Amino acid sequence: MALLTPEDLENINSQLQEADFSVRKVTGLDIKGICKDFYGTTPGCEKVGIVPVTSGNGIIGTFSESLHAIAGYFGFDSFVTDMPDVSGYYEAVRNGAEIILMADDNTFLAHNLKNGKIANNQPCTGIIYAEIASRYLKADSRDVLAVGFGKVGFPGAAHLVHKGFRVYGYDADKDLLEKTTSRLGITPFDLSNPDNSKKFSIIFEATPCADTIPESIISENCVISTPGIPCAISEELQKKYRVELIMEPLGIGTASMLYSVL
Ligand code: NAI
Ligand code: PYL
Ligand code: MG
């Protein structure tokens, strides 16, 4: 998994505010509104315990503090434990946490200890970014391009198929592309073939690579909803085609996880 860096999480509050502004512009609802509508839940006064985890590559400076800021932004009462790992888990439960947030290098989970619901960041992120893309108010058709069918992209692409969109898809891994398109009923769309010049107004991207979206397939004012870091499109193309970009490193996916376990 591509791991976040402290630089990705700099100014997380302003990143969230900007993302919220863009989500509202694209869908008419803010991130809270989308989560509430999609999961049918609203936060009460659930207490969220955030447990730093030292295994693998260890603590990412500001990861836990960013989760604390994100939980607060979405109306949850949260605290970061002093101790990491098992001792931190014990501390969180002893101090009244009802929802636990914790991540190692492979899994970032939200676990609601009251109702037993558990969420994984990857599908929750893919699904919410796909949901945001699917709500684009000015979309010119129900055609969507999905790029990247990994742990985040696959659930997002599947979500778009289940919502009845005509999904075109690409992954640089040819075997995965073939398997996923046939499994989900997606039309393969080879972005490396310059003859493929169909234009899209809705694009969902989830890869760890930059500049995955070529100029030839971008329509003016399209939405690119992308959890993938770094950005799928250059600033130059973004400006040239007035792209509505939904991209934020941690908060949208975390909101999706928290609302999904209520
Ligand atoms: P993954 O490794 O499971 O999947 C990535 C997929 O992208 C692979 O199938 C790979 O073949 C494909 N790919 C790579 N380069 C490509 C290219 N140039 N064109 C088309 N396909 C390409 O990774 P995962 O877990 O799905 O994560 C994807 C991205 O999302 C990562 O950058 C990760 O850091 C980010 N992420 C962001 C979150 C957020 O809240 N913003 C949350 C979770 C992950
Ligand atoms: C959750 C993110 C989104 C993108 N990549 C995922 C990642 O960076 N995972 C690793 C999280 C490790 C957190 C570390 C800590 O500070 O507690 N163990
Ligand atoms: Mg994100």
Side-chain angles (χ1 to χ4, degrees):
M1 182 198 300
L3 304 182
L4 288 169
T5 65
E7 292 71 47
D8 293 328
L9 298 172
E10 265 168 24
N11 304 317
I12 193 71
N13 263 310
S14 353
Q15 294 199 60
L16 257 179
Q17 277 165 18
E18 280 167 29
D20 226 357
F21 178 85
S22 305
V23 170
R24 207 176 302 118
K25 191 169 167 208
V26 163
T27 69
L29 286 176
D30 61 9
I31 300 164
K32 270 188 195 172
I34 303 258
C35 288
K36 185 175 170 199
D37 202 44
F38 180 62
Y39 290 111
T41 55
T42 319
C45 39
E46 292 82 4
K47 207 167 169 182
V48 178
I50 298 158
V51 183
V53 173
T54 62
S55 73
N57 284 286
I59 304 276
I60 297 176
T62 71
F63 183 77
S64 293
E65 279 312 317
S66 299
L67 290 181
H68 179 52
I70 290 163
Y73 185 91
F74 291 107
F76 292 83
D77 177 18
S78 75
F79 65 96
V80 179
T81 58
D82 291 330
M83 296 298 288
D85 306 324
V86 176
S87 303
Y89 185 94
Y90 183 65
E91 184 188 330
V93 177
R94 287 295 298 254
N95 285 319
E98 295 162 278
I99 298 176
I100 302 288
L101 284 180
M102 61 198 294
D104 65 14
D105 293 349
N106 297 310
T107 304
F108 169 24
L109 65 79
H111 191 186
N112 186 326
L113 303 176
K114 284 205 144 168
N115 62 19
K117 291 187 189 175
I118 192 161
N120 181 311
N121 175 256
Q122 290 154 334
C124 284
T125 299
I127 288 168
I128 205 71
Y129 275 83
E131 177 68 20
I132 291 166
S134 77
R135 290 174 180 242
Y136 184 27
L137 296 169
K138 294 184 185 155
D140 61 14
S141 75
R142 291 193 59 87
D143 292 352
V144 181
L145 175 67
V147 181
F149 293 138
K151 293 176 286 298
V152 175
F154 181 89
H159 180 63
L160 292 165
V161 171
H162 294 144
K163 282 198 85 168
F165 284 83
R166 262 189 311 276
V167 183
Y168 295 74
Y170 178 68
D171 192 293
D173 176 335
K174 287 207 165 58
D175 286 345
L176 185 66
L177 173 66
E178 207 178 297
K179 270 189 208 138
T180 307
T181 49
S182 77
R183 180 168 162 201
L184 294 180
I186 287 175
T187 306
F189 189 86
D190 187 357
L191 286 180
S192 64
N193 177 355
D195 294 338
N196 269 345
S197 58
K198 176 177 165 59
K199 297 200 187 304
F200 291 89
S201 70
I202 309 178
I203 297 170
F204 164 65
E205 195 264 13
T207 84
C209 294
D211 303 328
T212 50
I213 307 299
E215 180 165 8
S216 54
I217 59 100
I218 302 171
S219 64
E220 180 92 10
N221 295 121
C222 71
V223 161
I224 301 184
S225 186
T226 175
I229 301 164
C231 189
I233 181 171
S234 66
E235 271 183 41
E236 187 200 333
L237 289 183
Q238 236 180 91
K239 281 198 189 116
K240 185 170 172 188
Y241 292 93
R242 298 170 206 274
V243 172
E244 304 287 358
L245 185 69
I246 312 290
M247 179 183 152
E248 182 280 333
L250 187 62
I252 296 179
T254 304
S256 177
M257 295 164 73
L258 287 170
Y259 274 78
S260 80
V261 299
L262 293 177

